[in-house]
């Protein structure tokens, strides 16, 4: 693995190996024998807000021996219009890896190409691969795995989260039922390229939740869409609440990548009832990303 740009680009074996490593690193926290990032500086270039991703990467890089350098877009020349490929060619000569949160997936792809250093997608409009690795680790820990389990995603059917979940379903083969309002469903051309009969799309949240062991949701308006109030109106009836969960399988878990808007995509009661799982999911960002950092790092000086 040279970069982590998407779940789409990962193979099945790469995903499961990362999860195995994440579980091991979680066990070994505080006593890591190896410090693979010793002597290295990793840049975190963020164009959007972040709590979990920023903190988990800064802590994870330090715990693996490296030094994180946080660069907010508006504090570097990127914010004044310096092209991403020029930023990449400069940083590629100075730092050892980069973690990027931005809008356009192509910016992450270009950064990886022009910098030549390991590059991690920390969320774009297309994908949120680090989050999905943490989510899968949580499903493994809570339910033992995803084999023969139905996973439901209730919300925006073409957000970064759903796209990454759909690619995870393609790679790992679990049943994924996505419920989204008609105007927020993935386009036919995306579904054709996904080519995954185990992924189904419906406009009925109750249908997706029927018999599901994992119920996943996310904000209705992703970062950058906050003023799309018309879009938000389409989600009436899509709140994950007690009434909707009545149809879920016994022993089901609820996931939310956070931050959550209580009273919109999830009720206060459901979030608090499932807080143990949801905050374990947030913690797993740290462990999953350490596995990614270990898989991508190259020896210092290279
Ligand atoms: N889930 C997630 O990526 O959270 P942040 O936006 O706080 O990083
Ligand atoms: N879909 C959300 C995920 C936040 C972690 C967003 O992009 O804002």
């Amino acid at each position: 693995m040279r970069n982590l740009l998407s779940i789409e680009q990962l193979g099945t074996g790469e995903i499961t190996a990362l999860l195995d490593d994440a579980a091991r690193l979680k066990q070994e926290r505080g006593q890591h024998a190896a410090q693979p990032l010793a002597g290295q500086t990793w840049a975190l270039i963020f164009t959007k807000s972040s709590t979990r991703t920023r903190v988990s990467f800064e802590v994870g890089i330090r715990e693996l021996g490296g030094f994180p350098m946080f660069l907010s877009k508006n504090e570097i020349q990127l914010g004044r219009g310096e092209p991403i490929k020029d930023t990449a060619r400069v940083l590629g000569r100075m730092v050892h890896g980069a973690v990027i949160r931005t809008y356009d997936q192509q910016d992450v792809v270009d950064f990886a190409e022009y910098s030549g250093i390991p590059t991690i997608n920390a969320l774009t409009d297309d994908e949120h691969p680090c989050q999905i690795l943490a989510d899968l680790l949580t499903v493994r820990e809570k339910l033992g795995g995803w084999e023969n389990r139905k996973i439901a995603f209730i919300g925006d059917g073409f957000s970064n989260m759903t796209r990454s979940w759909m690619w995870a379903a393609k790679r790992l083969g679990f049943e994924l039922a996505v419920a989204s309002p008609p105007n927020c469903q993935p386009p036919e051309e995306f579904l054709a390229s996904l080519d995954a009969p185990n992924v189904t799309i419906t406009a009925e949240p109750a249908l997706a939740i029927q018999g599901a062991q994992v119920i996943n949701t996310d904000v209705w308006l992703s970062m950058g869409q906050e003023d799309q109030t018309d879009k938000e109106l389409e989600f009436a009836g899509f709140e994950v609440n007690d009434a909707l969960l009545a149809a879920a399988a016994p022993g089901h878990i609820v996931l939310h990548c956070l931050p959550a808007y209580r009273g919109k995509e999830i009720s206060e009661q459901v979030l608090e009832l499932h807080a143990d799982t949801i905050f374990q999911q947030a913690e797993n960002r740290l462990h999953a990303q350490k596995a990614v950092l270990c898989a991508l790092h190259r020896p210092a000086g290279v």
Side-chain angles (χ1 to χ4, degrees), residues 72-82 87:
S72 166
K73 180 191 174 186
N74 289 331
E75 291 168 6
I76 58 175
Q77 300 289 11
L78 190 62
R80 294 182 57 243
E82 185 169 23
T87 307

Side-chain angles (χ1 to χ4, degrees), residues 100-296:
I100 304 180
R101 168 167 286 201
T102 190
Y103 292 91
D104 191 347
Q105 178 76 16
Q106 191 60 43
D107 282 348
V108 183
V109 172
D110 289 346
F111 189 96
E113 180 186 340
Y114 283 95
S115 70
I117 55 174
T119 301
I120 298 173
N121 175 357
L123 181 149
T124 62
D125 289 346
D126 284 17
E127 280 227 29
H128 197 359
C130 296
Q131 180 69 54
I132 269 54
L133 292 171
D135 298 357
L136 292 169
L137 181 61
T138 310
V139 172
R140 254 199 192 177
E141 290 174 338
K142 287 284 180 187
L143 300 177
W146 41 78
E147 289 77 16
N148 302 314
R149 299 199 183 277
K150 179 182 180 185
I151 297 182
F153 195 106
I154 313 300
D156 184 353
F158 206 45
S159 70
N160 39 25
M161 285 295 299
T162 30
R163 282 195 242 190
S164 289
W165 265 101
M166 287 189 276
W167 283 112
K170 167 80 176 177
R171 298 288 174 251
L172 300 173
F174 54 77
E175 182 184 356
L176 177 67
V178 177
S180 309
N183 291 334
C184 303
Q185 295 182 359
E188 280 307 322
E189 62 181 21
F190 173 85
L191 293 173
S193 72
L194 183 74
D195 188 24
N198 50 323
V199 175
T200 55
I201 314 293
T202 174
E204 298 295 332
L207 202 60
I209 284 182
Q210 181 73 43
Q213 284 98 354
V214 179
I215 296 88
N216 202 347
T217 189
D218 179 23
V219 293
W220 293 334
L221 301 180
S222 286
M223 287 182 275
Q225 301 180 342
E226 289 83 354
D227 59 354
Q228 293 184 26
T229 41
D230 287 355
K231 177 178 175 181
E232 193 172 43
L233 293 176
E234 308 216 14
F235 286 90
F238 280 76
E239 181 192 63
V240 175
N241 54 29
D242 289 335
L244 264 189
L245 287 175
H252 63 266
I253 62 170
V254 172
L255 298 179
H256 194 309
C257 63
L258 300 175
Y261 292 94
R262 291 161 165 87
K264 291 193 174 181
E265 77 274 6
I266 191 166
S267 70
E268 168 79 17
Q269 291 91 327
V270 168
L271 193 146
E272 292 302 333
L273 186 65
H274 294 273
D276 176 55
T277 305
I278 290 169
F279 290 99
Q280 182 173 327
Q281 180 190 2
E283 180 197 323
N284 281 339
R285 297 294 305 278
L286 172 65
H287 312 299
Q289 287 158 199
K290 276 186 179 171
V292 173
L293 290 163
C294 287
L296 294 183

